[in-house]
Amino acid sequence: MLKPLFSVVEALLREHQQLLELATRKKDVLIQNDLEALNEIVQTEVAHIHRIERMELERQGAGRLLAVRAGVPADQLTAERVSQLAETPEERQRMTSLTDDLRTVILKLKDANDLNQILIQQSLNLIQSTVEVLTESPSVPNYGGSGQTLANNPYQQSRVSYFDSKA
């Protein structure tokens, strides 16, 4: 009775483990500032997320089917309740183990993603600071050889900024 649900939850666990591995690799790539590798990781993550979305729909369908067979409202079918519906102690243990493992991987994945978000924010702050330094006007007037400021010198080209330093 639980086999379809077991197979879907096992597949979800594998996908989340692979996402966790990618998140760990992403941290290293962010530190190394390897944009090409980062792009590849993001594309791979998107593929995993799409598979997880499909598997989640399968899990919900298997859960609804199990709820109907067990005479339980589908909205009350939690992992704990599924364990209680198990026919053998082995099935009960397997379900408990799978849900615990999935929960652990998801929490680790959340932590890894939070760290990666911090690294990305730090990189963006550094880029913003660099752009501001490169585009800000000098606060001390520069003098040409004749004693006039460069701002008043008709032969000095004005500096054109292509960046919006307030963006």
Side-chain angles (χ1 to χ4, degrees), residues 110-126:
K110 181 193 176 306
D111 290 343
N113 284 336
D114 288 346
L115 176 60
N116 288 341
Q117 183 176 356
I118 289 168
L119 291 172
I120 290 169
Q121 188 60 48
Q122 287 175 347
S123 294
L124 289 174
N125 290 342
L126 178 63

Side-chain angles (χ1 to χ4, degrees), residues 123-137 159 161-167:
S123 294
L124 289 174
N125 290 342
L126 178 63
I127 291 168
Q128 180 66 29
S129 296
T130 303
V131 168
E132 287 174 2
V133 166
L134 293 174
T135 59
E136 70 184 16
S137 300
R159 190 166 127 194
S161 174
Y162 294 100
F163 297 103
D164 181 7
S165 63
K166 293 181 181 160

Side-chain angles (χ1 to χ4, degrees), residues 82-98:
V82 170
S83 293
Q84 293 170 353
L85 295 173
E87 296 171 354
T88 66
E90 292 81 19
E91 281 185 341
R92 188 172 300 115
Q93 175 58 37
R94 185 175 175 197
M95 190 61 183
T96 301
S97 177
L98 280 173

